[in-house]
PDB file of all heavy atoms in Angstrom:
ATOM      1  N   GLY N 749      15.538  60.969 114.060  1.00 36.00           N
ATOM      2  CA  GLY N 749      14.192  60.596 113.646  1.00 36.00           C
ATOM      3  C   GLY N 749      14.235  59.605 112.509  1.00 36.00           C
ATOM      4  O   GLY N 749      15.235  59.424 111.834  1.00 36.00           O
ATOM      5  N   LEU N 750      13.095  58.961 112.274  1.00 35.00           N
ATOM      6  CA  LEU N 750      13.004  58.013 111.170  1.00 35.00           C
ATOM      7  C   LEU N 750      12.773  58.760 109.877  1.00 35.00           C
ATOM      8  O   LEU N 750      12.271  59.875 109.867  1.00 35.00           O
ATOM      9  CB  LEU N 750      11.853  57.037 111.431  1.00 35.00           C
ATOM     10  CG  LEU N 750      12.006  56.171 112.669  1.00 35.00           C
ATOM     11  CD1 LEU N 750      10.754  55.353 112.889  1.00 35.00           C
ATOM     12  CD2 LEU N 750      13.206  55.275 112.541  1.00 35.00           C
ATOM     13  N   SER N 751      13.113  58.147 108.768  1.00 36.00           N
ATOM     14  CA  SER N 751      12.888  58.795 107.483  1.00 36.00           C
ATOM     15  C   SER N 751      11.396  58.882 107.217  1.00 36.00           C
ATOM     16  O   SER N 751      10.613  58.068 107.692  1.00 36.00           O
ATOM     17  CB  SER N 751      13.593  58.016 106.374  1.00 36.00           C
ATOM     18  OG  SER N 751      13.060  56.723 106.291  1.00 36.00           O
ATOM     19  N   SER N 752      11.026  59.891 106.447  1.00 36.00           N
ATOM     20  CA  SER N 752       9.613  60.090 106.181  1.00 36.00           C
ATOM     21  C   SER N 752       9.090  58.955 105.311  1.00 36.00           C
ATOM     22  O   SER N 752       9.820  58.335 104.558  1.00 36.00           O
ATOM     23  CB  SER N 752       9.385  61.437 105.504  1.00 36.00           C
ATOM     24  OG  SER N 752       9.845  61.388 104.181  1.00 36.00           O
ATOM     25  N   THR N 753       7.786  58.731 105.401  1.00 36.00           N
ATOM     26  CA  THR N 753       7.199  57.643 104.615  1.00 36.00           C
ATOM     27  C   THR N 753       6.974  58.060 103.175  1.00 36.00           C
ATOM     28  O   THR N 753       6.802  57.227 102.315  1.00 36.00           O
ATOM     29  CB  THR N 753       5.857  57.193 105.229  1.00 36.00           C
ATOM     30  OG1 THR N 753       5.000  58.337 105.328  1.00 36.00           O
ATOM     31  CG2 THR N 753       6.079  56.574 106.594  1.00 36.00           C
ATOM     32  N   THR N 754       6.988  59.372 102.914  1.00 37.00           N
ATOM     33  CA  THR N 754       6.856  59.842 101.542  1.00 37.00           C
ATOM     34  C   THR N 754       8.078  60.678 101.218  1.00 37.00           C
ATOM     35  O   THR N 754       8.106  61.879 101.447  1.00 37.00           O
ATOM     36  CB  THR N 754       5.577  60.686 101.360  1.00 37.00           C
ATOM     37  OG1 THR N 754       5.600  61.741 102.317  1.00 37.00           O
ATOM     38  CG2 THR N 754       4.336  59.846 101.530  1.00 37.00           C
ATOM     39  N   PRO N 755       9.136  60.041 100.690  1.00 39.00           N
ATOM     40  CA  PRO N 755      10.368  60.769 100.415  1.00 39.00           C
ATOM     41  C   PRO N 755      10.187  61.786  99.295  1.00 39.00           C
ATOM     42  O   PRO N 755       9.277  61.684  98.490  1.00 39.00           O
ATOM     43  CB  PRO N 755      11.358  59.685 100.015  1.00 39.00           C
ATOM     44  CG  PRO N 755      10.531  58.539  99.584  1.00 39.00           C
ATOM     45  CD  PRO N 755       9.233  58.644 100.336  1.00 39.00           C
ATOM     46  N   ALA N 756      11.074  62.749  99.270  1.00 40.00           N
ATOM     47  CA  ALA N 756      11.075  63.758  98.216  1.00 40.00           C
ATOM     48  C   ALA N 756      11.345  63.078  96.878  1.00 40.00           C
ATOM     49  O   ALA N 756      11.865  61.972  96.839  1.00 40.00           O
ATOM     50  CB  ALA N 756      12.162  64.790  98.506  1.00 40.00           C
ATOM     51  N   THR N 792      15.551  52.730 101.916  1.00 93.00           N
ATOM     52  CA  THR N 792      15.777  54.157 102.082  1.00 93.00           C
ATOM     53  C   THR N 792      16.451  54.421 103.411  1.00 93.00           C
ATOM     54  O   THR N 792      16.007  53.954 104.457  1.00 93.00           O
ATOM     55  CB  THR N 792      14.437  54.919 102.010  1.00 93.00           C
ATOM     56  OG1 THR N 792      13.815  54.612 100.759  1.00 93.00           O
ATOM     57  CG2 THR N 792      14.655  56.418 102.119  1.00 93.00           C
ATOM     58  N   GLY N 793      17.527  55.183 103.369  1.00 92.00           N
ATOM     59  CA  GLY N 793      18.252  55.546 104.578  1.00 92.00           C
ATOM     60  C   GLY N 793      17.591  56.720 105.288  1.00 92.00           C
ATOM     61  O   GLY N 793      16.729  57.400 104.727  1.00 92.00           O
ATOM     62  N   GLN N 794      18.025  56.955 106.515  1.00 93.00           N
ATOM     63  CA  GLN N 794      17.512  58.086 107.288  1.00 93.00           C
ATOM     64  C   GLN N 794      17.922  59.391 106.630  1.00 93.00           C
ATOM     65  O   GLN N 794      18.954  59.465 105.956  1.00 93.00           O
ATOM     66  CB  GLN N 794      18.087  58.085 108.705  1.00 93.00           C
ATOM     67  CG  GLN N 794      17.517  57.054 109.621  1.00 93.00           C
ATOM     68  CD  GLN N 794      18.115  57.189 111.016  1.00 93.00           C
ATOM     69  OE1 GLN N 794      19.277  57.521 111.174  1.00 93.00           O
ATOM     70  NE2 GLN N 794      17.309  56.935 112.016  1.00 93.00           N
ATOM     71  N   THR N 795      17.142  60.427 106.865  1.00 93.00           N
ATOM     72  CA  THR N 795      17.527  61.768 106.450  1.00 93.00           C
ATOM     73  C   THR N 795      18.490  62.302 107.501  1.00 93.00           C
ATOM     74  O   THR N 795      18.149  62.402 108.669  1.00 93.00           O
ATOM     75  CB  THR N 795      16.303  62.689 106.346  1.00 93.00           C
ATOM     76  OG1 THR N 795      15.387  62.133 105.409  1.00 93.00           O
ATOM     77  CG2 THR N 795      16.707  64.084 105.911  1.00 93.00           C
ATOM     78  N   GLN N 804      20.044  62.315 102.152  1.00 94.00           N
ATOM     79  CA  GLN N 804      19.342  61.032 102.242  1.00 94.00           C
ATOM     80  C   GLN N 804      19.611  60.220 100.980  1.00 94.00           C
ATOM     81  O   GLN N 804      19.527  60.747  99.872  1.00 94.00           O
ATOM     82  CB  GLN N 804      17.835  61.246 102.405  1.00 94.00           C
ATOM     83  CG  GLN N 804      17.061  59.951 102.588  1.00 94.00           C
ATOM     84  CD  GLN N 804      15.572  60.187 102.758  1.00 94.00           C
ATOM     85  OE1 GLN N 804      15.012  61.134 102.228  1.00 94.00           O
ATOM     86  NE2 GLN N 804      14.932  59.315 103.516  1.00 94.00           N
ATOM     87  N   LEU N 820      18.168  60.929  97.416  1.00 92.00           N
ATOM     88  CA  LEU N 820      16.821  61.473  97.484  1.00 92.00           C
ATOM     89  C   LEU N 820      16.831  62.935  97.914  1.00 92.00           C
ATOM     90  O   LEU N 820      16.030  63.732  97.447  1.00 92.00           O
ATOM     91  CB  LEU N 820      15.967  60.658  98.460  1.00 92.00           C
ATOM     92  CG  LEU N 820      15.778  59.184  98.118  1.00 92.00           C
ATOM     93  CD1 LEU N 820      14.941  58.487  99.179  1.00 92.00           C
ATOM     94  CD2 LEU N 820      15.146  59.028  96.748  1.00 92.00           C
ATOM     95  N   GLN N 821      17.706  63.273  98.854  1.00 90.00           N
ATOM     96  CA  GLN N 821      17.857  64.649  99.314  1.00 90.00           C
ATOM     97  C   GLN N 821      19.344  64.943  99.392  1.00 90.00           C
ATOM     98  O   GLN N 821      20.120  64.090  99.814  1.00 90.00           O
ATOM     99  CB  GLN N 821      17.253  64.840 100.704  1.00 90.00           C
ATOM    100  CG  GLN N 821      15.751  64.670 100.764  1.00 90.00           C
ATOM    101  CD  GLN N 821      15.242  64.968 102.164  1.00 90.00           C
ATOM    102  OE1 GLN N 821      15.449  66.050 102.686  1.00 90.00           O
ATOM    103  NE2 GLN N 821      14.575  63.985 102.764  1.00 90.00           N
ATOM    104  N   LYS N 875      19.005  48.192 107.324  1.00 87.00           N
ATOM    105  CA  LYS N 875      17.668  47.649 107.070  1.00 87.00           C
ATOM    106  C   LYS N 875      17.725  46.360 106.243  1.00 87.00           C
ATOM    107  O   LYS N 875      16.745  45.625 106.182  1.00 87.00           O
ATOM    108  CB  LYS N 875      16.806  48.678 106.336  1.00 87.00           C
ATOM    109  CG  LYS N 875      16.508  49.902 107.173  1.00 87.00           C
ATOM    110  CD  LYS N 875      15.716  50.918 106.384  1.00 87.00           C
ATOM    111  CE  LYS N 875      15.470  52.167 107.211  1.00 87.00           C
ATOM    112  NZ  LYS N 875      14.720  53.186 106.452  1.00 87.00           N
TER     113      LYS N 875
END
Side-chain angles (χ1 to χ4, degrees):
L750 298 175
S751 62
S752 72
T753 56
T754 55
T792 303
Q794 286 183 325
T795 301
Q804 183 180 31
L820 299 179
Q821 294 184 58
K875 294 177 182 179

